[in-house]
PDB file of all heavy atoms in Angstrom:
ATOM      1  N   PHE H  21      18.905  19.192  24.472  1.00 98.00           N
ATOM      2  CA  PHE H  21      19.307  17.814  24.216  1.00 98.00           C
ATOM      3  C   PHE H  21      19.845  17.120  25.463  1.00 98.00           C
ATOM      4  O   PHE H  21      19.858  15.886  25.542  1.00 98.00           O
ATOM      5  CB  PHE H  21      20.352  17.768  23.093  1.00 98.00           C
ATOM      6  CG  PHE H  21      20.854  16.388  22.761  1.00 98.00           C
ATOM      7  CD1 PHE H  21      19.974  15.319  22.579  1.00 98.00           C
ATOM      8  CD2 PHE H  21      22.216  16.140  22.642  1.00 98.00           C
ATOM      9  CE1 PHE H  21      20.443  14.048  22.286  1.00 98.00           C
ATOM     10  CE2 PHE H  21      22.693  14.867  22.344  1.00 98.00           C
ATOM     11  CZ  PHE H  21      21.804  13.826  22.169  1.00 98.00           C
ATOM     12  N   ASP H  22      20.276  17.881  26.461  1.00 98.00           N
ATOM     13  CA  ASP H  22      20.784  17.266  27.690  1.00 98.00           C
ATOM     14  C   ASP H  22      19.693  16.541  28.465  1.00 98.00           C
ATOM     15  O   ASP H  22      19.983  15.837  29.442  1.00 98.00           O
ATOM     16  CB  ASP H  22      21.435  18.319  28.584  1.00 98.00           C
ATOM     17  CG  ASP H  22      20.486  19.446  28.967  1.00 98.00           C
ATOM     18  OD1 ASP H  22      19.625  19.810  28.143  1.00 98.00           O
ATOM     19  OD2 ASP H  22      20.617  19.962  30.092  1.00 98.00           O
ATOM     20  N   LYS H  23      18.436  16.654  28.014  1.00 98.00           N
ATOM     21  CA  LYS H  23      17.317  16.023  28.730  1.00 98.00           C
ATOM     22  C   LYS H  23      16.784  14.770  28.034  1.00 98.00           C
ATOM     23  O   LYS H  23      15.864  14.129  28.542  1.00 98.00           O
ATOM     24  CB  LYS H  23      16.170  17.023  28.906  1.00 98.00           C
ATOM     25  CG  LYS H  23      16.514  18.246  29.743  1.00 98.00           C
ATOM     26  CD  LYS H  23      15.333  19.189  29.860  1.00 98.00           C
ATOM     27  CE  LYS H  23      15.653  20.394  30.731  1.00 98.00           C
ATOM     28  NZ  LYS H  23      16.701  21.240  30.139  1.00 98.00           N
ATOM     29  N   PHE H  24      17.316  14.400  26.867  1.00 98.00           N
ATOM     30  CA  PHE H  24      16.781  13.230  26.168  1.00 98.00           C
ATOM     31  C   PHE H  24      17.851  12.535  25.340  1.00 98.00           C
ATOM     32  O   PHE H  24      18.964  13.045  25.159  1.00 98.00           O
ATOM     33  CB  PHE H  24      15.595  13.626  25.266  1.00 98.00           C
ATOM     34  CG  PHE H  24      15.915  14.597  24.166  1.00 98.00           C
ATOM     35  CD1 PHE H  24      16.296  14.161  22.901  1.00 98.00           C
ATOM     36  CD2 PHE H  24      15.813  15.970  24.383  1.00 98.00           C
ATOM     37  CE1 PHE H  24      16.584  15.064  21.885  1.00 98.00           C
ATOM     38  CE2 PHE H  24      16.095  16.885  23.372  1.00 98.00           C
ATOM     39  CZ  PHE H  24      16.478  16.431  22.119  1.00 98.00           C
ATOM     40  N   THR H  25      17.496  11.342  24.864  1.00 98.00           N
ATOM     41  CA  THR H  25      18.369  10.520  24.027  1.00 98.00           C
ATOM     42  C   THR H  25      17.765  10.406  22.633  1.00 98.00           C
ATOM     43  O   THR H  25      16.544  10.382  22.478  1.00 98.00           O
ATOM     44  CB  THR H  25      18.527   9.114  24.651  1.00 98.00           C
ATOM     45  OG1 THR H  25      19.524   9.162  25.678  1.00 98.00           O
ATOM     46  CG2 THR H  25      18.957   8.075  23.626  1.00 98.00           C
ATOM     47  N   VAL H  26      18.625  10.328  21.628  1.00 98.00           N
ATOM     48  CA  VAL H  26      18.185  10.023  20.272  1.00 98.00           C
ATOM     49  C   VAL H  26      18.811   8.696  19.850  1.00 98.00           C
ATOM     50  O   VAL H  26      20.025   8.530  19.911  1.00 98.00           O
ATOM     51  CB  VAL H  26      18.586  11.118  19.266  1.00 98.00           C
ATOM     52  CG1 VAL H  26      18.257  10.671  17.833  1.00 98.00           C
ATOM     53  CG2 VAL H  26      17.878  12.430  19.580  1.00 98.00           C
ATOM     54  N   VAL H  27      17.956   7.744  19.476  1.00 98.00           N
ATOM     55  CA  VAL H  27      18.432   6.466  18.952  1.00 98.00           C
ATOM     56  C   VAL H  27      18.416   6.572  17.421  1.00 98.00           C
ATOM     57  O   VAL H  27      17.356   6.736  16.822  1.00 98.00           O
ATOM     58  CB  VAL H  27      17.551   5.290  19.410  1.00 98.00           C
ATOM     59  CG1 VAL H  27      18.142   3.963  18.918  1.00 98.00           C
ATOM     60  CG2 VAL H  27      17.422   5.278  20.927  1.00 98.00           C
ATOM     61  N   ARG H  28      19.586   6.483  16.809  1.00 98.00           N
ATOM     62  CA  ARG H  28      19.699   6.644  15.358  1.00 98.00           C
ATOM     63  C   ARG H  28      19.791   5.317  14.611  1.00 98.00           C
ATOM     64  O   ARG H  28      19.957   5.300  13.395  1.00 98.00           O
ATOM     65  CB  ARG H  28      20.928   7.487  15.019  1.00 98.00           C
ATOM     66  CG  ARG H  28      20.812   8.967  15.380  1.00 98.00           C
ATOM     67  CD  ARG H  28      22.109   9.701  15.103  1.00 98.00           C
ATOM     68  NE  ARG H  28      21.962  11.163  15.260  1.00 98.00           N
ATOM     69  CZ  ARG H  28      22.982  12.023  15.248  1.00 98.00           C
ATOM     70  NH1 ARG H  28      24.223  11.555  15.087  1.00 98.00           N
ATOM     71  NH2 ARG H  28      22.767  13.313  15.381  1.00 98.00           N
ATOM     72  N   SER H  29      19.668   4.219  15.325  1.00 98.00           N
ATOM     73  CA  SER H  29      20.003   2.938  14.686  1.00 98.00           C
ATOM     74  C   SER H  29      18.908   1.881  14.784  1.00 98.00           C
ATOM     75  O   SER H  29      19.194   0.688  14.727  1.00 98.00           O
ATOM     76  CB  SER H  29      21.294   2.392  15.298  1.00 98.00           C
ATOM     77  OG  SER H  29      21.184   2.291  16.711  1.00 98.00           O
ATOM     78  N   ILE H  30      17.649   2.279  14.958  1.00 98.00           N
ATOM     79  CA  ILE H  30      16.544   1.330  14.860  1.00 98.00           C
ATOM     80  C   ILE H  30      16.161   1.221  13.381  1.00 98.00           C
ATOM     81  O   ILE H  30      16.047   2.228  12.687  1.00 98.00           O
ATOM     82  CB  ILE H  30      15.339   1.785  15.692  1.00 98.00           C
ATOM     83  CG1 ILE H  30      15.687   1.740  17.189  1.00 98.00           C
ATOM     84  CG2 ILE H  30      14.112   0.918  15.420  1.00 98.00           C
ATOM     85  CD1 ILE H  30      14.612   2.295  18.102  1.00 98.00           C
ATOM     86  N   CYS H  31      15.982   0.013  12.902  1.00 98.00           N
ATOM     87  CA  CYS H  31      15.654  -0.155  11.483  1.00 98.00           C
ATOM     88  C   CYS H  31      14.895  -1.462  11.272  1.00 98.00           C
ATOM     89  O   CYS H  31      14.869  -2.332  12.133  1.00 98.00           O
ATOM     90  CB  CYS H  31      16.925  -0.151  10.624  1.00 98.00           C
ATOM     91  SG  CYS H  31      18.088  -1.474  11.003  1.00 98.00           S
ATOM     92  N   HIS H  32      14.266  -1.572  10.100  1.00 98.00           N
ATOM     93  CA  HIS H  32      13.569  -2.805   9.722  1.00 98.00           C
ATOM     94  C   HIS H  32      13.516  -2.856   8.207  1.00 98.00           C
ATOM     95  O   HIS H  32      14.248  -2.123   7.526  1.00 98.00           O
ATOM     96  CB  HIS H  32      12.176  -2.862  10.355  1.00 98.00           C
ATOM     97  CG  HIS H  32      11.283  -1.714  10.010  1.00 98.00           C
ATOM     98  ND1 HIS H  32      10.386  -1.746   8.957  1.00 98.00           N
ATOM     99  CD2 HIS H  32      11.133  -0.468  10.560  1.00 98.00           C
ATOM    100  CE1 HIS H  32       9.722  -0.606   8.893  1.00 98.00           C
ATOM    101  NE2 HIS H  32      10.155   0.190   9.859  1.00 98.00           N
ATOM    102  N   LYS H  33      12.673  -3.733   7.637  1.00 97.00           N
ATOM    103  CA  LYS H  33      12.686  -3.936   6.193  1.00 97.00           C
ATOM    104  C   LYS H  33      11.329  -3.743   5.520  1.00 97.00           C
ATOM    105  O   LYS H  33      11.166  -4.083   4.353  1.00 97.00           O
ATOM    106  CB  LYS H  33      13.218  -5.339   5.871  1.00 97.00           C
ATOM    107  CG  LYS H  33      14.660  -5.560   6.301  1.00 97.00           C
ATOM    108  CD  LYS H  33      15.140  -6.966   5.949  1.00 97.00           C
ATOM    109  CE  LYS H  33      16.588  -7.174   6.383  1.00 97.00           C
ATOM    110  NZ  LYS H  33      17.079  -8.539   6.052  1.00 97.00           N
ATOM    111  N   ASP H  34      10.360  -3.188   6.234  1.00 97.00           N
ATOM    112  CA  ASP H  34       9.029  -3.015   5.654  1.00 97.00           C
ATOM    113  C   ASP H  34       8.836  -1.562   5.213  1.00 97.00           C
ATOM    114  O   ASP H  34       8.701  -0.676   6.046  1.00 97.00           O
ATOM    115  CB  ASP H  34       7.948  -3.395   6.661  1.00 97.00           C
ATOM    116  CG  ASP H  34       6.587  -3.611   6.001  1.00 97.00           C
ATOM    117  OD1 ASP H  34       6.292  -2.899   5.021  1.00 97.00           O
ATOM    118  OD2 ASP H  34       5.836  -4.492   6.458  1.00 97.00           O
ATOM    119  N   PRO H  35       8.791  -1.284   3.909  1.00 97.00           N
ATOM    120  CA  PRO H  35       8.683   0.092   3.420  1.00 97.00           C
ATOM    121  C   PRO H  35       7.250   0.605   3.287  1.00 97.00           C
ATOM    122  O   PRO H  35       7.049   1.721   2.797  1.00 97.00           O
ATOM    123  CB  PRO H  35       9.349   0.005   2.041  1.00 97.00           C
ATOM    124  CG  PRO H  35       8.991  -1.369   1.567  1.00 97.00           C
ATOM    125  CD  PRO H  35       8.983  -2.246   2.804  1.00 97.00           C
ATOM    126  N   ASN H  36       6.268  -0.180   3.680  1.00 97.00           N
ATOM    127  CA  ASN H  36       4.870   0.228   3.554  1.00 97.00           C
ATOM    128  C   ASN H  36       4.356   0.828   4.858  1.00 97.00           C
ATOM    129  O   ASN H  36       4.710   0.376   5.951  1.00 97.00           O
ATOM    130  CB  ASN H  36       3.994  -0.955   3.161  1.00 97.00           C
ATOM    131  CG  ASN H  36       4.224  -1.380   1.727  1.00 97.00           C
ATOM    132  OD1 ASN H  36       4.635  -0.579   0.898  1.00 97.00           O
ATOM    133  ND2 ASN H  36       3.975  -2.643   1.436  1.00 97.00           N
ATOM    134  N   HIS H  37       3.469   1.809   4.726  1.00 97.00           N
ATOM    135  CA  HIS H  37       2.905   2.434   5.926  1.00 97.00           C
ATOM    136  C   HIS H  37       2.173   1.413   6.795  1.00 97.00           C
ATOM    137  O   HIS H  37       2.328   1.402   8.015  1.00 97.00           O
ATOM    138  CB  HIS H  37       1.929   3.547   5.533  1.00 97.00           C
ATOM    139  CG  HIS H  37       2.574   4.714   4.862  1.00 97.00           C
ATOM    140  ND1 HIS H  37       3.529   5.493   5.472  1.00 97.00           N
ATOM    141  CD2 HIS H  37       2.398   5.236   3.621  1.00 97.00           C
ATOM    142  CE1 HIS H  37       3.916   6.443   4.647  1.00 97.00           C
ATOM    143  NE2 HIS H  37       3.241   6.311   3.507  1.00 97.00           N
ATOM    144  N   GLY H  38       1.361   0.558   6.169  1.00 97.00           N
ATOM    145  CA  GLY H  38       0.588  -0.417   6.931  1.00 97.00           C
ATOM    146  C   GLY H  38       1.470  -1.337   7.756  1.00 97.00           C
ATOM    147  O   GLY H  38       1.271  -1.498   8.968  1.00 97.00           O
ATOM    148  N   GLY H  39       2.453  -1.941   7.116  1.00 97.00           N
ATOM    149  CA  GLY H  39       3.347  -2.853   7.825  1.00 97.00           C
ATOM    150  C   GLY H  39       4.256  -2.141   8.803  1.00 97.00           C
ATOM    151  O   GLY H  39       4.503  -2.626   9.912  1.00 97.00           O
ATOM    152  N   GLY H  40       4.766  -0.970   8.398  1.00 98.00           N
ATOM    153  CA  GLY H  40       5.646  -0.221   9.289  1.00 98.00           C
ATOM    154  C   GLY H  40       4.935   0.257  10.535  1.00 98.00           C
ATOM    155  O   GLY H  40       5.476   0.186  11.641  1.00 98.00           O
ATOM    156  N   ASN H  41       3.711   0.759  10.361  1.00 98.00           N
ATOM    157  CA  ASN H  41       2.908   1.164  11.516  1.00 98.00           C
ATOM    158  C   ASN H  41       2.727   0.006  12.489  1.00 98.00           C
ATOM    159  O   ASN H  41       2.907   0.155  13.705  1.00 98.00           O
ATOM    160  CB  ASN H  41       1.536   1.650  11.043  1.00 98.00           C
ATOM    161  CG  ASN H  41       1.460   3.153  10.869  1.00 98.00           C
ATOM    162  OD1 ASN H  41       0.943   3.848  11.732  1.00 98.00           O
ATOM    163  ND2 ASN H  41       1.976   3.653   9.764  1.00 98.00           N
ATOM    164  N   HIS H  42       2.351  -1.143  11.947  1.00 98.00           N
ATOM    165  CA  HIS H  42       2.103  -2.307  12.804  1.00 98.00           C
ATOM    166  C   HIS H  42       3.365  -2.707  13.558  1.00 98.00           C
ATOM    167  O   HIS H  42       3.327  -2.981  14.765  1.00 98.00           O
ATOM    168  CB  HIS H  42       1.611  -3.476  11.954  1.00 98.00           C
ATOM    169  CG  HIS H  42       1.057  -4.614  12.744  1.00 98.00           C
ATOM    170  ND1 HIS H  42       1.859  -5.589  13.307  1.00 98.00           N
ATOM    171  CD2 HIS H  42      -0.219  -4.939  13.089  1.00 98.00           C
ATOM    172  CE1 HIS H  42       1.107  -6.460  13.943  1.00 98.00           C
ATOM    173  NE2 HIS H  42      -0.157  -6.091  13.831  1.00 98.00           N
ATOM    174  N   TYR H  43       4.487  -2.720  12.865  1.00 98.00           N
ATOM    175  CA  TYR H  43       5.753  -3.153  13.471  1.00 98.00           C
ATOM    176  C   TYR H  43       6.157  -2.236  14.618  1.00 98.00           C
ATOM    177  O   TYR H  43       6.566  -2.705  15.689  1.00 98.00           O
ATOM    178  CB  TYR H  43       6.831  -3.157  12.394  1.00 98.00           C
ATOM    179  CG  TYR H  43       7.924  -4.187  12.572  1.00 98.00           C
ATOM    180  CD1 TYR H  43       8.871  -4.394  11.555  1.00 98.00           C
ATOM    181  CD2 TYR H  43       8.052  -4.955  13.728  1.00 98.00           C
ATOM    182  CE1 TYR H  43       9.883  -5.331  11.679  1.00 98.00           C
ATOM    183  CE2 TYR H  43       9.061  -5.895  13.877  1.00 98.00           C
ATOM    184  CZ  TYR H  43       9.971  -6.081  12.838  1.00 98.00           C
ATOM    185  OH  TYR H  43      10.980  -7.008  12.972  1.00 98.00           O
ATOM    186  N   LEU H  44       6.045  -0.926  14.413  1.00 98.00           N
ATOM    187  CA  LEU H  44       6.509   0.019  15.432  1.00 98.00           C
ATOM    188  C   LEU H  44       5.454   0.363  16.464  1.00 98.00           C
ATOM    189  O   LEU H  44       5.760   1.001  17.473  1.00 98.00           O
ATOM    190  CB  LEU H  44       7.011   1.291  14.763  1.00 98.00           C
ATOM    191  CG  LEU H  44       8.488   1.343  14.342  1.00 98.00           C
ATOM    192  CD1 LEU H  44       9.427   1.081  15.522  1.00 98.00           C
ATOM    193  CD2 LEU H  44       8.794   0.356  13.224  1.00 98.00           C
ATOM    194  N   MET H  45       4.204  -0.071  16.264  1.00 98.00           N
ATOM    195  CA  MET H  45       3.157   0.147  17.258  1.00 98.00           C
ATOM    196  C   MET H  45       2.875  -1.094  18.096  1.00 98.00           C
ATOM    197  O   MET H  45       2.161  -1.021  19.095  1.00 98.00           O
ATOM    198  CB  MET H  45       1.860   0.598  16.579  1.00 98.00           C
ATOM    199  CG  MET H  45       1.674   2.103  16.527  1.00 98.00           C
ATOM    200  SD  MET H  45       1.336   2.785  18.160  1.00 98.00           S
ATOM    201  CE  MET H  45       1.204   4.521  17.782  1.00 98.00           C
ATOM    202  N   THR H  46       3.423  -2.239  17.677  1.00 98.00           N
ATOM    203  CA  THR H  46       3.184  -3.487  18.413  1.00 98.00           C
ATOM    204  C   THR H  46       4.467  -4.225  18.751  1.00 98.00           C
ATOM    205  O   THR H  46       4.469  -5.079  19.638  1.00 98.00           O
ATOM    206  CB  THR H  46       2.297  -4.442  17.583  1.00 98.00           C
ATOM    207  OG1 THR H  46       3.026  -4.897  16.441  1.00 98.00           O
ATOM    208  CG2 THR H  46       1.011  -3.758  17.124  1.00 98.00           C
ATOM    209  N   GLY H  47       5.545  -3.945  18.022  1.00 98.00           N
ATOM    210  CA  GLY H  47       6.785  -4.697  18.190  1.00 98.00           C
ATOM    211  C   GLY H  47       6.767  -6.009  17.443  1.00 98.00           C
ATOM    212  O   GLY H  47       7.669  -6.832  17.614  1.00 98.00           O
ATOM    213  N   THR H  48       5.765  -6.191  16.589  1.00 98.00           N
ATOM    214  CA  THR H  48       5.604  -7.446  15.857  1.00 98.00           C
ATOM    215  C   THR H  48       5.342  -7.157  14.380  1.00 98.00           C
ATOM    216  O   THR H  48       4.466  -6.350  14.060  1.00 98.00           O
ATOM    217  CB  THR H  48       4.415  -8.254  16.420  1.00 98.00           C
ATOM    218  OG1 THR H  48       4.665  -8.532  17.808  1.00 98.00           O
ATOM    219  CG2 THR H  48       4.245  -9.572  15.674  1.00 98.00           C
ATOM    220  N   PRO H  49       6.068  -7.783  13.468  1.00 98.00           N
ATOM    221  CA  PRO H  49       5.794  -7.567  12.044  1.00 98.00           C
ATOM    222  C   PRO H  49       4.485  -8.225  11.648  1.00 98.00           C
ATOM    223  O   PRO H  49       3.994  -9.137  12.331  1.00 98.00           O
ATOM    224  CB  PRO H  49       6.983  -8.239  11.352  1.00 98.00           C
ATOM    225  CG  PRO H  49       7.404  -9.312  12.310  1.00 98.00           C
ATOM    226  CD  PRO H  49       7.163  -8.749  13.683  1.00 98.00           C
ATOM    227  N   THR H  50       3.893  -7.782  10.560  1.00 97.00           N
ATOM    228  CA  THR H  50       2.678  -8.434  10.075  1.00 97.00           C
ATOM    229  C   THR H  50       3.041  -9.822   9.556  1.00 97.00           C
ATOM    230  O   THR H  50       4.083  -9.999   8.924  1.00 97.00           O
ATOM    231  CB  THR H  50       2.017  -7.615   8.951  1.00 97.00           C
ATOM    232  OG1 THR H  50       2.953  -7.453   7.874  1.00 97.00           O
ATOM    233  CG2 THR H  50       1.587  -6.259   9.455  1.00 97.00           C
ATOM    234  N   PRO H  51       2.220 -10.832   9.798  1.00 96.00           N
ATOM    235  CA  PRO H  51       2.546 -12.202   9.364  1.00 96.00           C
ATOM    236  C   PRO H  51       2.481 -12.372   7.847  1.00 96.00           C
ATOM    237  O   PRO H  51       3.044 -13.315   7.310  1.00 96.00           O
ATOM    238  CB  PRO H  51       1.487 -13.049  10.071  1.00 96.00           C
ATOM    239  CG  PRO H  51       0.347 -12.120  10.305  1.00 96.00           C
ATOM    240  CD  PRO H  51       0.958 -10.780  10.561  1.00 96.00           C
ATOM    241  N   VAL H  52       1.784 -11.473   7.186  1.00 96.00           N
ATOM    242  CA  VAL H  52       1.690 -11.481   5.724  1.00 96.00           C
ATOM    243  C   VAL H  52       1.868 -10.047   5.240  1.00 96.00           C
ATOM    244  O   VAL H  52       1.606  -9.101   5.991  1.00 96.00           O
ATOM    245  CB  VAL H  52       0.329 -12.029   5.231  1.00 96.00           C
ATOM    246  CG1 VAL H  52       0.174 -13.497   5.592  1.00 96.00           C
ATOM    247  CG2 VAL H  52      -0.816 -11.199   5.800  1.00 96.00           C
ATOM    248  N   PRO H  53       2.331  -9.844   4.015  1.00 94.00           N
ATOM    249  CA  PRO H  53       2.448  -8.480   3.494  1.00 94.00           C
ATOM    250  C   PRO H  53       1.081  -7.803   3.450  1.00 94.00           C
ATOM    251  O   PRO H  53       0.065  -8.446   3.168  1.00 94.00           O
ATOM    252  CB  PRO H  53       3.004  -8.694   2.075  1.00 94.00           C
ATOM    253  CG  PRO H  53       3.651 -10.040   2.117  1.00 94.00           C
ATOM    254  CD  PRO H  53       2.830 -10.858   3.059  1.00 94.00           C
ATOM    255  N   VAL H  54       1.040  -6.519   3.765  1.00 95.00           N
ATOM    256  CA  VAL H  54      -0.214  -5.769   3.746  1.00 95.00           C
ATOM    257  C   VAL H  54      -0.054  -4.549   2.855  1.00 95.00           C
ATOM    258  O   VAL H  54       1.060  -4.102   2.573  1.00 95.00           O
ATOM    259  CB  VAL H  54      -0.641  -5.339   5.171  1.00 95.00           C
ATOM    260  CG1 VAL H  54      -0.881  -6.549   6.049  1.00 95.00           C
ATOM    261  CG2 VAL H  54       0.391  -4.414   5.796  1.00 95.00           C
ATOM    262  N   GLY H  55      -1.157  -4.001   2.412  1.00 93.00           N
ATOM    263  CA  GLY H  55      -1.139  -2.824   1.560  1.00 93.00           C
ATOM    264  C   GLY H  55      -0.537  -1.627   2.256  1.00 93.00           C
ATOM    265  O   GLY H  55      -0.574  -1.515   3.484  1.00 93.00           O
ATOM    266  N   CYS H  56      -0.021  -0.722   1.452  1.00 94.00           N
ATOM    267  CA  CYS H  56       0.668   0.440   2.011  1.00 94.00           C
ATOM    268  C   CYS H  56      -0.246   1.262   2.909  1.00 94.00           C
ATOM    269  O   CYS H  56       0.171   1.763   3.936  1.00 94.00           O
ATOM    270  CB  CYS H  56       1.223   1.298   0.875  1.00 94.00           C
ATOM    271  SG  CYS H  56       2.377   2.563   1.444  1.00 94.00           S
ATOM    272  N   GLY H  57      -1.509   1.392   2.529  1.00 90.00           N
ATOM    273  CA  GLY H  57      -2.429   2.199   3.318  1.00 90.00           C
ATOM    274  C   GLY H  57      -3.259   1.411   4.297  1.00 90.00           C
ATOM    275  O   GLY H  57      -4.249   1.923   4.824  1.00 90.00           O
TER     276      GLY H  57
END
């Protein structure tokens, strides 16, 4: 652990895989709700 950091406090409000993937892979939420898959 002396070689890395853990951030425990990143969060958002999208509980779906589709939206969550987009948010954390682009830094941008989806402009409209998308299906979970």
Side-chain angles (χ1 to χ4, degrees):
F21 179 47
D22 58 326
K23 297 180 178 65
F24 62 91
T25 278
V26 173
V27 184
R28 289 176 172 171
S29 55
I30 293 174
C31 61
H32 58 94
K33 297 180 180 180
D34 196 325
N36 288 334
H37 293 299
N41 265 260
H42 192 277
Y43 211 172
L44 271 303
M45 265 289 179
T46 68
T48 300
T50 58
V52 295
V54 298
C56 192

